[in-house]
Amino acid sequence: MKRSSLALIAAGVGGAAVAGYGLSIGRDAWKSTKKNFLLILFLAAVAGAMAVPFIGGRELVRGHDRGFFGTVFKTLVGSALLLASGFVMGFVAVWLFVAYGNDNNAEVKAIALTFAAGATAMSGCVGLLWGLFQRPGRLRKIAITRSNDDFLQTAGIRETGGDNITHYDASGQALRFLEVHTDRLVFMAVGRRGKRAYIDVGSDGRMTAYSGVVM
């Protein structure tokens, strides 16, 4: 008697039956995908035409902590390519729309192309506006981070990348980073029971002073 695949799966009998059931599901899914391939591709192109220009516009202006080459190739060239890719995806979506609908009407094509160009341009503009909104906060954080890097170098505090000993100070004292408070960073002095060290932090997040090892 032929057994139900679901019954075999529930009973845990026979890997071959389970695999056969999985392959059957896969074949059905593939048939459905093939049947609706143009529609799926069209939807993917529409999604890309809306999302990619937004990312390109945002990344162009939101502010980054990059050097000269990073600014040129990642910020300027990379963002420009994303914006251009969005327009390409928009035109692909139009082509698929026409192909899927079997509509060769020139007026329909013109309307669709205009809509695609407008939608991708709007997406890019929204990305630009969102990037400009984020820019002041990001630049402020970048400036504070650079200031803190300078502070650590001046104070002679260096990271180890380890877990037990996370830092050394200028005197060579091993430190283990413990916790963050609103006004300070707390370290344990490794090898010196009960001793702590602190980095004072201002209200804006800038490091201001290193205490050295204290009680």
Side-chain angles (χ1 to χ4, degrees):
M1 181 184 295
K2 185 177 181 180
R3 305 293 183 186
S4 165
S5 296
L6 288 176
L8 293 171
I9 291 171
V13 178
V18 175
Y21 186 71
L23 289 173
S24 175
I25 293 176
R27 283 194 298 269
D28 291 342
W30 171 242
K31 288 179 182 177
S32 178
T33 300
K34 284 178 64 179
K35 183 179 179 180
N36 299 290
F37 178 72
L38 283 178
L39 178 60
I40 293 171
L41 200 58
F42 168 73
L43 294 175
V46 169
M50 297 303 295
V52 173
F54 173 86
I55 296 171
R58 185 194 64 182
E59 293 301 307
L60 183 63
V61 298
R62 73 196 298 231
H64 303 278
D65 189 9
R66 293 169 178 166
F68 174 77
F69 290 105
T71 299
V72 171
F73 291 104
K74 287 186 177 181
T75 304
L76 299 179
V77 176
S79 298
L81 287 174
L82 286 173
L83 289 167
S85 298
F87 280 97
V88 171
M89 290 180 184
F91 290 125
V92 169
V94 169
W95 179 83
L96 290 170
F97 171 76
V98 173
Y100 190 74
N102 294 317
D103 194 338
N104 292 316
N105 187 292
E107 185 177 349
V108 171
K109 289 181 180 179
I111 293 173
L113 285 170
T114 301
F115 176 79
T120 51
M122 182 177 294
S123 176
C125 289
V126 171
L128 284 168
L129 292 174
W130 186 250
L132 289 171
F133 174 77
Q134 292 181 317
R135 185 178 178 85
R138 284 178 58 84
L139 292 181
R140 184 167 56 251
K141 289 181 180 179
I142 289 170
I144 292 171
T145 300
R146 288 176 176 173
S147 174
N148 289 344
D149 282 337
D150 292 340
F151 172 86
L152 292 172
Q153 290 183 15
T154 301
I157 299 173
R158 62 188 190 278
E159 295 185 4
T160 67
D163 296 323
N164 186 47
I165 298 174
T166 60
H167 297 79
Y168 286 101
D169 67 11
S171 69
Q173 172 64 50
L175 304 171
R176 183 187 304 160
F177 178 61
L178 294 179
E179 56 189 358
V180 181
H181 294 272
T182 55
D183 60 345
R184 61 176 51 180
L185 308 180
V186 182
F187 300 83
M188 182 182 76
V190 178
R192 301 177 66 177
R193 185 180 296 273
K195 301 290 185 179
R196 297 287 186 268
Y198 306 94
I199 293 179
D200 293 333
V201 179
S203 58
D204 61 352
R206 293 180 191 271
M207 298 177 179
T208 58
Y210 174 60
S211 68
V213 177
V214 296
M215 290 295 294

